[in-house]
Amino acid sequence: MIVLGGGPAGLAVGYYARKYGIPFTVFEASDRIGGNCITFTHGEFRFDSGAHRFHDKAHEVTAEMHGLLDRDFEKIDAPSSIFFRGRFIDFPLSPLNLMSKLGLPAFFRAGLQLLAARVSRKGKNESFEDFAIHTYGKSIAEFFLLGYSEKLWGLPSARLSPAIAGNRMKGLDLKVFVKEAVLGRKAKTEHLDGAFYYPSRGIGTIPEKLASFCGEEGIRKNARVTRIIHEKKRIRAVELNGEEIIGTDFVVSTLPLDLFLRMMDPLPGRDILRLSRSLRYRSIILTAFFLDKELVSENASIYFPDPDILFTRIHEPKNRSKKMSPAGKTSLVVEIPCQLDDAVWKMPDDRLILSVRSKLIQAGLMSKNEIIGSVVKRMPYAYPVLEIDFEEKLRPVRGFLNNFHNLSFSGRNGRFVYGHIHNMMKMGSEIVEEYRLKNINVSQYEFRK
């Protein structure tokens, strides 16, 4: 078995293959594993490549993680907030909190709009805009969700699929309002579902442990895939670094679909290539600030829907683990979504730092004299953009790829889904289980360049 890509999705396949004694090799193009799920170091500071966290959505996967990390996997209960007009508002949205921050008149107007949306738009969630207005009403959707999503995904919300919401948007309804009013903070905590699991030295511990379990012999770094050779509905071999060709009985790819298709030899037809090129991926620039300050806030993440602010989200690593910052100090990590090679992606580091710094100071989150360092990191192909018609584009592409009997895909970019670490683990488990059930044992072919 050959696995293309050494991020969490590829390493998960390797992990389960190793558990069941299936020979495999993970090929990673760079000199490190982890993909876009890593932990950086800056002096004594540590910070992740985004506001990553591990949710207990698949109990068997969570149990696997506890064993893999040797119980270095603590449950963290930290809230998230939206920064709106100089105020912090709970996210997911909480009725009592909204009422206190917006004021009674605005809150009840929003409530009437929500009732109207539920009556008039029920069952018409064709776009994310429809879905957000139906879930929260026009005012709340416009305040907190529509503009934010346009910044995050780079498209108007009317062109985005409802699938971008995942399972994170909880409706504002009378039941939740009454429950919060009667039970107070306990009900609010349950509604916000802020708890998650996290390794003490950063999210990068997960791919590091997965790689360690796979073993040195199971992973090859600096092994960039340059060609995927196929014949008679089977992947026969992959070419590495333009020179080495390795035969295979089964391939699992976590590479972006458009890259995979462009490397196929022979190439797919024009229509398939055209559709694959139309699939969009969003990249992320991280700007981290290291502060001579005990703490900025208690939030796991803070969201910024204001269209005049370049970034969408910040997180404070120390609120995930005290080991992420030295004693008496903290850091803020800012996420700026963009397209690969657009003007923002190409912006010089010093300009990015100055632009973000001024907004954070204006928001009162830090002062200039508290900054003791900063750094910029760029993360290409962070996640697929789920446009309103993305499934129509994907259907022929998947149909073409499904013709190859020894080929499977995993991960955000490989499957073109917006998933999380627990999803990657579950995909890896299912792929390996399917491989075992099929008991694939096809003779490898010898290829020469």
Side-chain angles (χ1 to χ4, degrees):
M1 176 186 292
I2 283 178
V3 183
L4 309 182
L11 293 170
V13 175
Y15 171 81
Y16 285 105
R18 180 67 181 269
K19 280 191 73 172
Y20 292 108
I22 298 170
F24 71 94
T25 305
V26 176
F27 293 110
E28 167 55 43
S30 71
D31 59 358
R32 62 165 180 81
I33 52 87
N36 284 341
C37 182
I38 61 173
T39 299
F40 300 105
T41 58
H42 185 88
E44 295 182 85
F45 291 91
R46 301 174 68 83
F47 66 98
D48 296 336
S49 53
H52 298 291
R53 55 185 109 187
F54 188 97
H55 293 290
D56 183 17
K57 301 297 185 182
H59 299 311
E60 69 279 11
V61 173
T62 304
E64 204 81 46
M65 278 291 123
H66 278 292
L68 181 70
L69 297 175
D70 195 22
R71 303 197 179 280
D72 178 24
F73 204 43
E74 297 182 24
K75 193 171 187 178
I76 308 299
D77 194 358
S80 293
S81 293
I82 299 171
F83 186 78
F84 179 72
R85 296 177 181 175
R87 296 181 176 184
F88 292 96
I89 296 174
D90 291 339
F91 186 78
L93 299 172
S94 164
L96 285 181
N97 179 260
L98 260 184
M99 186 172 66
S100 68
K101 298 296 173 69
L102 294 181
L104 280 173
F107 179 79
F108 282 114
R109 276 199 305 273
L112 290 174
Q113 289 176 346
L114 174 57
L115 288 174
R118 292 288 174 88
V119 170
S120 64
R121 301 179 71 93
K122 190 171 183 179
K124 297 181 180 179
N125 296 332
E126 296 175 356
S127 69
F128 177 74
E129 181 177 76
D130 293 332
F131 177 71
I133 291 173
H134 172 64
T135 305
Y136 285 136
K138 186 175 175 61
S139 289
I140 300 301
E142 289 179 346
F143 286 161
F144 306 123
L145 300 168
L146 302 185
Y148 176 86
S149 297
E150 290 178 14
K151 275 204 304 182
L152 177 61
W153 300 89
L155 289 173
S157 57
R159 285 183 55 193
L160 292 169
S161 166
I164 69 169
N167 296 315
R168 293 168 299 170
M169 287 178 62
K170 299 182 178 181
L172 294 172
D173 54 41
L174 185 61
K175 179 181 176 182
V176 173
F177 185 87
V178 172
K179 192 174 181 182
E180 286 186 4
V182 173
L183 299 179
R185 183 174 179 80
K186 181 176 184 296
K188 176 180 169 181
T189 301
E190 290 175 356
H191 172 60
L192 296 182
D193 192 23
F196 56 91
Y197 285 96
Y198 192 79
S200 65
R201 294 185 64 79
I203 204 70
T205 306
I206 293 177
E208 287 169 7
K209 291 288 188 179
L210 288 170
S212 178
F213 187 88
C214 289
E216 290 185 11
E217 71 282 3
I219 298 174
R220 280 188 55 183
K221 302 173 189 175
N222 297 307
R224 184 170 60 90
V225 179
T226 49
R227 194 156 53 113
I228 297 161
I229 303 165
H230 63 95
E231 180 187 29
K232 295 180 181 178
K233 307 299 184 184
R234 300 194 69 82
I235 306 298
R236 302 301 189 182
V238 296
E239 178 188 76
L240 303 175
N241 301 320
E243 56 185 20
E244 181 183 4
I245 294 179
I246 299 177
T248 182
D249 70 333
F250 193 79
V251 173
V252 181
S253 175
T254 68
L255 306 179
L257 279 175
D258 60 332
L259 294 183
F260 183 92
L261 287 160
R262 290 204 304 269
M263 288 189 291
M264 294 187 77
D265 182 10
L267 282 170
R270 290 182 181 179
D271 288 345
I272 297 299
L273 289 174
R274 176 182 55 80
L275 286 170
S276 71
R277 284 194 295 267
S278 71
L279 298 173
R280 293 160 53 93
Y281 295 85
R282 205 71 164 140
S283 297
I284 290 286
I285 299 174
L286 303 174
T287 306
F289 293 88
F290 311 103
L291 308 176
D292 186 12
K293 184 176 186 176
E294 181 65 39
L295 202 67
V296 173
S297 78
E298 295 182 351
N299 290 288
S301 299
I302 303 175
Y303 300 87
F304 291 79
D306 188 338
D308 294 328
I309 296 176
L310 187 63
F311 49 89
T312 50
R313 178 171 64 174
I314 67 173
H315 77 273
E316 190 168 357
K318 193 174 185 178
N319 287 334
R320 285 163 162 74
S321 170
K322 300 297 183 188
K323 293 182 181 179
M324 300 297 280
S325 297
K329 295 177 173 56
T330 191
S331 61
L332 289 178
V333 182
V334 181
E335 299 178 25
I336 305 168
C338 58
Q339 293 303 122
L340 192 63
D341 292 329
D342 70 7
V344 177
W345 181 265
K346 295 177 180 177
M347 190 181 296
D349 290 1
D350 55 351
R351 281 184 58 198
L352 278 168
I353 289 168
L354 285 174
S355 175
V356 173
R357 186 183 74 180
S358 66
K359 294 297 183 182
L360 293 177
I361 291 172
Q362 287 177 23
L365 294 171
M366 66 185 192
S367 63
K368 189 175 179 180
N369 61 5
E370 290 170 339
I371 303 171
I372 56 178
S374 58
V375 70
V376 173
K377 300 286 185 181
R378 287 172 170 79
M379 313 300 295
Y381 285 98
Y383 43 83
V385 178
L386 306 185
E387 296 184 60
I388 200 166
D389 60 348
F390 83 99
E391 290 171 330
E392 294 176 17
K393 294 177 180 179
L394 270 181
R395 198 172 295 116
V397 173
R398 285 176 175 158
F400 168 77
L401 293 170
N402 285 341
N403 288 322
F404 294 87
H405 308 302
N406 64 335
L407 175 63
S408 188
F409 292 86
S410 190
R412 282 184 173 185
N413 294 330
R415 291 197 181 181
F416 209 81
V417 295
Y418 189 52
H420 304 277
I421 299 173
H422 65 274
N423 301 122
M424 306 303 109
M425 292 296 294
K426 197 162 181 62
M427 288 179 199
S429 174
E430 291 168 352
I431 288 169
V432 171
E433 182 62 21
E434 184 178 1
Y435 180 94
R436 292 175 66 214
L437 291 174
K438 286 182 177 178
N439 193 25
I440 296 174
N441 186 21
V442 180
S443 299
Q444 294 190 9
Y445 286 69
E446 297 230 353
F447 285 82
R448 291 182 173 83
K449 189 176 177 182

